[in-house]
Amino acid sequence: TLLTRRNEDGMKKTVSEIAEFLGGKLYGDGTHIIEDVRSAESAGPEHATFARGIYAEHIEEMQAGVILVDELPETYTKNLIVVDDCRRSFGQLIELYHPEPRYSGEIHPTAVISPTAVIGKNVTVMAYAVIDDRVVIGDNTVIFPYVYIGKNVKVGCYCELNPGAVIHENSVIGDRVVLRAHAVIGGQGFGFSTDEKGHHTHIRQLGRAVLKDDVEVGSASAVSNGAMNDTVVGRGTKIDNLVHLGHNVEVGEDCFIIAQVGIAGSTKIGNSCILAGQVGITGHIKITDNVTLGGKTGVLGDIDKPGTYVGYPSRPHGAWGREQVMLARLPEMMKKIKKIEKSLAEQEDKK
């Protein structure tokens, strides 16, 4: 088989063992047995969960055997483990109880691999994958069924290329990159010349698409290649499903780009930015570091100050909020204006 799983027989840990594993401080019964992880709503006595924000206000209503928290509440009757970041610690428990599959490093007989391709150690290539000429694949990478990797592509180590992903020619993929199902990297950018009759002619794009280390690209997302220079996604950036990055876009490090975002060509995004769902960004602009764009925000010009921006066109969250308050008062203001106009008209009639 191409893959095997660890701990198929399940795992049981005491609350004390979990606290030690997470480096947290236990409050409660350390001998209680935990068999799995669950959400706060569905966890029972044999489960671990976490509580943050509004959920932390309802700890006493939860049925979980142990609850991870960031801070110890004033009063409690549940088994609690206090950690620095309960969400991250819960992620560690997910990996403990539901570890990732291990792959065997086999190459399926139906995979099509060019004789000029260089395949690293312990690379798994599943059924019907196609690896074209002069491709280089790093060690311990996993290539799922129906993946296509074009000519001259370089893929780093410990990558995960899920079913149907496409990496077009000359693209560069760093280490530990994840491409979800049907992601498309390095397809031809949207570059056309329009003549006097309105007919469009495609101009071949010669740049590359470059994904740095630890990048993730969601299902059905597309990162176009550059026109002449490269399209670049910086280290650690995570891209959700159904996102489009146009040609020559440059995205910095550790960004979040959420579903249905579109970034037009040659725009530069700084580090640690968050682009919420359905954000649209015009081309050839710059956005500085540490900018958050609220859902459906439309960006038409440069953003040179960190902060949260919303609306169309985008503006600082505070200014947008004041505008919304004024808009809500417009009907009342219109009534007052009409009343004043009526009063003035009556005064005119008396003259």
Side-chain angles (χ1 to χ4, degrees):
T1 59
L2 282 174
L3 54 94
T4 57
R5 288 187 176 273
R6 301 192 295 269
N7 305 315
E8 288 180 338
D9 297 330
M11 175 185 294
K12 296 182 180 181
K13 294 283 187 182
T14 66
V15 170
S16 290
E17 288 173 328
I18 290 174
E20 182 178 358
F21 172 72
L22 297 175
K25 187 170 183 179
L26 168 63
Y27 295 86
D29 180 9
T31 64
H32 189 83
I33 300 296
I34 300 298
E35 299 179 3
D36 207 344
V37 291
R38 288 287 188 277
S39 67
E41 299 92 341
S42 61
E46 71 277 21
H47 301 134
T49 191
F50 76 101
R52 170 182 281 175
I54 191 171
Y55 288 95
E57 301 173 10
H58 299 278
I59 285 175
E60 290 302 309
E61 302 168 28
M62 297 179 186
Q63 303 303 312
V66 66
I67 305 167
L68 310 183
V69 294
D70 294 329
E71 296 178 352
L72 188 68
E74 292 184 6
T75 60
Y76 61 92
T77 62
K78 305 294 183 179
N79 295 329
L80 304 179
I81 298 176
V82 179
V83 290
D84 291 334
D85 184 333
C86 63
R87 182 180 177 88
R88 182 178 299 171
S89 294
F90 188 69
Q92 292 178 261
L93 288 188
I94 290 175
E95 295 300 324
L96 180 67
Y97 283 93
H98 297 274
E100 289 279 354
R102 286 178 176 172
Y103 299 95
S104 62
E106 297 178 13
I107 296 177
H108 196 276
T110 63
V112 179
I113 301 177
S114 168
T116 61
V118 178
I119 309 298
K121 299 176 182 178
N122 195 41
V123 171
T124 299
V125 184
M126 300 187 192
Y128 301 107
V130 176
I131 301 176
D132 216 326
D133 297 339
R134 298 176 297 280
V135 168
V136 177
I137 306 291
D139 298 344
N140 300 295
T141 283
V142 179
I143 301 171
F144 282 81
Y146 297 102
V147 169
Y148 172 72
I149 304 177
K151 292 179 173 63
N152 306 312
V153 166
K154 291 181 173 59
V155 177
C157 301
Y158 293 96
C159 292
E160 178 184 318
L161 311 181
N162 282 280
V166 175
I167 308 175
H168 284 280
E169 65 275 7
N170 304 317
S171 298
V172 178
I173 309 297
D175 295 336
R176 299 174 301 281
V177 169
V178 176
L179 302 184
R180 303 297 179 191
H182 299 286
V184 179
I185 308 302
Q188 281 285 297
F190 199 71
F192 292 84
S193 173
T194 303
D195 64 22
E196 63 277 2
K197 295 181 179 180
H199 300 151
H200 310 303
T201 301
H202 182 255
I203 299 175
R204 188 161 171 246
Q205 313 289 284
L206 300 180
R208 305 175 301 174
V210 178
L211 309 186
K212 300 296 183 68
D213 296 346
D214 301 302
V215 165
E216 295 192 18
V217 179
S219 298
S221 289
V223 179
S224 299
N225 74 329
M228 299 298 291
N229 300 323
D230 296 335
T231 302
V232 181
V233 179
R235 180 205 54 76
T237 284
K238 313 301 182 185
I239 298 174
D240 197 4
N241 305 331
L242 299 169
V243 169
H244 177 223
L245 272 59
H247 58 193
N248 295 104
V249 165
E250 296 180 20
V251 178
E253 299 181 351
D254 296 314
C255 294
F256 272 137
I257 303 180
I258 316 303
Q260 299 184 354
V261 167
I263 305 176
S266 299
T267 281
K268 293 178 172 57
I269 310 291
N271 299 324
S272 302
C273 291
I274 300 173
L275 281 55
Q278 297 189 333
V279 163
I281 303 178
T282 192
H284 300 273
I285 67 169
K286 294 181 180 179
I287 296 176
T288 191
D289 299 343
N290 299 299
V291 167
T292 296
L293 301 175
K296 293 182 177 290
T297 297
V299 183
L300 303 181
D302 292 349
I303 297 178
D304 55 12
K305 293 181 180 179
T308 299
Y309 295 78
V310 294
Y312 183 89
S314 61
R315 47 215 184 270
H317 186 269
W320 175 85
R322 290 189 291 273
E323 291 175 12
Q324 296 306 301
V325 170
M326 293 300 296
L327 286 172
R329 293 178 58 190
L330 280 178
E332 177 188 349
M333 293 172 64
M334 286 300 298
K335 289 179 181 178
K336 290 181 178 180
I337 291 171
K338 287 181 179 179
K339 188 175 181 180
I340 292 171
E341 288 177 338
K342 183 179 179 181
S343 176
L344 291 173
E346 292 174 348
Q347 292 180 25
E348 287 292 327
D349 291 341
K350 291 179 180 179
K351 292 181 179 180

